[in-house]
Amino acid sequence: MQNVSDKPDQTESEPQFFSQFVKDSALKILIDYQRDTGRMWQKIRTEIINVTGAEATVHAPIITRQDLESWSKRKNILGDEKFKWVFRFLTHPDTLARPGFSKAHDLMDFGLIKRMGGAFQDFFDDHAMSGYIRRIPLSEDIDAETVERRMNGFEGCFTGSDKTQDYCLSLERFRQTNFFICHFFSWPINGFGEIFDWDIDRFSGFCTIGNQIRLHTKAVMVSTVRDMYVVPKIDHSTDQVDTLNLILHSLTYQAIENVVFDKFEAAHKRLKYIDPTAHTLLLERTTDSQLTEFIDQFRWNLVL
Amino acid sequence: MSQNPLKNVAGKDTGFDGLDPDIIRGAKNNDISEVRAALKIDWKVITKRDLTFKMSALHYAAARGNSSMVSFLLEQKGADINLKDRWGRDPLDVAILSGNQDIIDDMFKFRHGEEPDENDPEPEPPLPSGDIITLKPQ
């Protein structure tokens, strides 16, 4: 039996609070494990105790079979103090090495998200690879504080709409690094007919910030990758971004179709580029607290 | 299931008047009447999956956060929550990613209903075929 306190590398990186998404994902892994092995909650609880060396204290009450069972029935949600043992069990190296727990890698302190996002950012930050996307005014000598302020200026929730759909873009900075988590939602206008129905198309992923913001996202629905571009309008007096121009997929397609069409009508050179006003959707910063609370539900549950 | 939100919106179901109802299309569009029409013709389409993504109607309803559709589908005969899509996700995986807590709770409860309860007494072994059960007279 090995006490988890002997492993500072595991506890130091452990979050103090666990989101509902992490708890739901952990429960799903345990229930899959229970189904595949036929083990009862008592046995699984013994495994958790053995692997983590959980000891009952006033501050960390030990996890019981009843806790696990009622959690699986959704009669209660495991509190952070008790869930900590489940989290330590699932992210323990011995557990991760077992074939039934491969999905538990995704729970580990967003390590996977950070690695994937970091690689993505390295690629698109390289001028040799993507100088056309990220153009930093090299003549301008920007100090660290200004960079920090400008980066924070992008954070927030932006909304807009066209004739049929409402759109929402959420940008959230990850631990003050130059790396943003983004969520892009669209839903039919008046689509929220009932409070329990959303009818939302959702894309989630990360983004790099430059003269253009490039959103690298995946859809929840069919796990297809979609890159989107956003042109920010920066207020240089405050370094705050209150409006964004999103280049819509449908509008991009429409523009491309028009270009192809124009080839057959050489006399009419109407459209050979994406018009920043006609082919983009204006997204404005929102102060809608209900929407922000709604977005909070997705803040970190990315689709990778 | 303690609460069926569909009961609140059932009056809005105007009926599907098309010729060829498709359960996948109905779930994608949150069209309960088309789903119902498809199930009326053949209840086994509840486990139908599309060819491209191998996603079932439950997958699509969970991905879009259509709680009433999920409740309706889970109450149907033959509802299978363990079907995997092209990426190895079952509907509960998709629901957790989607983030609608009502759907997640419903699916966990449904899934728990499939599992034996540890507090329940051991199920009696099935009688061998040919046994005759005799009831004692009062």
Side-chain angles (χ1 to χ4, degrees):
Chain A
M1 193 179 291
Q2 194 172 25
N3 196 320
V4 77
S5 60
D6 298 335
K7 294 172 127 308
D9 54 334
Q10 192 184 356
T11 50
E12 273 178 12
S13 61
E14 188 177 278
Q16 294 295 314
F17 304 102
F18 298 94
S19 66
Q20 189 62 43
F21 170 63
V22 171
K23 289 181 180 179
D24 286 339
S25 303
L27 178 58
K28 175 69 170 42
I29 293 167
L30 287 181
I31 286 180
D32 280 346
Y33 175 63
Q34 189 203 32
R35 186 193 59 188
D36 295 343
T37 60
R39 292 184 185 181
M40 294 297 191
W41 287 112
Q42 181 62 43
K43 183 98 176 171
I44 293 172
R45 184 245 179 200
T46 308
E47 285 186 42
I48 293 172
I49 301 292
N50 287 341
V51 171
T52 60
E55 291 174 4
T57 65
V58 175
H59 299 294
I62 205 161
I63 194 165
T64 62
R65 173 184 68 80
Q66 286 84 357
D67 287 332
L68 293 172
E69 201 172 330
S70 57
W71 185 33
S72 73
K73 291 177 185 172
R74 306 301 276 185
K75 286 181 180 171
N76 66 355
I77 301 290
L78 222 55
D80 286 340
E81 279 298 332
K82 290 194 173 184
F83 179 76
K84 182 173 67 183
W85 299 111
V86 175
F87 184 82
R88 286 185 188 174
F89 167 69
L90 290 174
T91 56
H92 194 280
D94 293 349
T95 311
L96 291 170
R98 294 162 68 178
F101 291 96
S102 58
K103 284 185 178 177
H105 282 280
D106 297 346
L107 298 175
M108 291 185 68
D109 194 27
F110 306 114
L112 180 67
I113 296 169
K114 201 175 175 185
R115 280 200 303 280
M116 289 183 71
F120 173 69
Q121 190 178 22
D122 288 345
F123 179 82
F124 286 108
D125 270 3
D126 186 352
H127 277 257
M129 302 294 287
S130 60
Y132 66 96
I133 292 172
R134 185 178 171 87
R135 295 185 197 282
I136 301 170
L138 295 174
S139 60
E140 193 180 353
D141 188 16
I142 307 174
D143 59 282
E145 270 186 34
T146 310
V147 171
E148 193 70 12
R149 194 172 64 246
R150 285 190 182 178
M151 294 300 272
N152 287 333
F154 286 99
E155 270 199 331
C157 221
F158 302 85
T159 56
S161 60
D162 62 11
K163 287 176 186 172
T164 56
Q165 299 258 309
D166 284 326
Y167 300 91
C168 175
L169 173 66
S170 160
L171 297 177
E172 180 83 0
R173 201 168 170 192
F174 183 72
R175 289 187 177 171
Q176 297 304 302
T177 58
N178 297 340
F179 169 51
F180 282 73
I181 306 287
C182 64
H183 297 288
F184 182 72
F185 307 91
S186 65
W187 59 89
I189 288 178
N190 297 327
F192 290 165
E194 300 287 341
I195 192 71
F196 40 79
D197 273 349
W198 292 347
D199 206 12
I200 291 177
D201 269 339
R202 180 180 143 214
F203 288 80
S204 299
F206 8 82
C207 75
T208 51
I209 304 282
N211 287 15
Q212 292 177 340
I213 300 173
R214 181 179 175 127
L215 311 176
H216 182 81
T217 60
K218 250 186 176 182
V220 170
M221 180 94 88
V222 294
S223 280
T224 48
V225 175
R226 180 189 284 186
D227 277 351
M228 287 178 270
Y229 297 92
V230 181
V231 184
K233 288 183 178 176
I234 303 171
D235 181 350
H236 289 288
S237 60
T238 59
D239 284 332
Q240 187 73 16
V241 179
D242 286 327
T243 52
L244 303 167
N245 270 337
L246 173 77
I247 302 171
L248 278 179
H249 249 52
S250 57
L251 294 173
T252 312
Y253 290 143
Q254 186 188 335
I256 292 167
E257 278 177 14
N258 282 341
V259 171
V260 174
F261 181 71
D262 281 353
K263 281 183 180 175
F264 299 99
E265 293 187 2
H268 303 284
K269 294 180 181 177
R270 287 178 301 169
L271 184 63
K272 296 246 180 196
Y273 57 92
I274 297 171
D275 185 339
T277 53
H279 297 121
T280 58
L281 177 76
L282 186 68
L283 297 174
E284 293 179 320
R285 186 179 288 278
T286 180
T287 53
D288 186 340
S289 58
Q290 278 191 331
L291 183 63
T292 310
E293 282 173 18
F294 176 73
I295 302 293
D296 275 342
Q297 296 181 60
F298 312 100
R299 192 64 81 192
W300 299 110
N301 58 344
L302 291 189
V303 185
L304 295 174
Chain B
M1 212 170 294
S2 59
Q3 185 188 6
N4 179 8
L6 184 68
K7 285 174 184 168
N8 300 332
V9 294
K12 296 179 183 174
D13 183 0
T14 53
F16 177 75
D17 56 0
L19 292 174
D20 187 17
D22 180 40
I23 190 168
I24 301 289
R25 186 177 57 211
K28 274 184 188 175
N29 299 330
N30 201 20
D31 186 348
I32 198 87
S33 57
E34 181 166 5
V35 171
R36 190 177 286 140
L39 287 167
K40 199 173 179 181
I41 293 170
D42 181 7
W43 64 269
K44 289 178 183 171
V45 294
I46 189 80
T47 55
K48 181 185 173 184
R49 291 184 287 174
D50 63 358
L51 292 174
T52 315
F53 303 119
K54 306 287 181 198
M55 288 171 76
S56 65
L58 260 176
H59 278 98
Y60 281 108
R64 295 195 72 110
N66 291 334
S67 180
S68 55
M69 178 68 80
V70 169
S71 296
F72 175 74
L73 289 169
L74 287 178
E75 287 175 353
Q76 301 308 307
K77 180 183 174 186
D80 188 351
I81 206 172
N82 297 314
L83 293 172
K84 298 277 171 62
D85 68 7
R86 180 179 155 186
W87 299 277
R89 310 175 304 181
D90 61 31
L92 181 50
D93 287 322
V94 175
I96 290 172
L97 283 173
S98 181
N100 187 319
Q101 210 56 45
D102 289 345
I103 293 179
I104 296 168
D105 288 346
D106 279 355
M107 285 193 172
F108 270 124
K109 284 174 189 167
F110 181 86
R111 185 138 178 197
H112 183 267
E114 295 180 332
E115 307 290 338
D117 198 326
E118 281 180 50
N119 290 329
D120 288 347
E122 287 291 318
E124 291 180 7
L127 292 167
S129 58
D131 272 9
I132 299 169
I133 303 170
T134 52
L135 296 172
K136 290 180 182 177
Q138 295 290 328

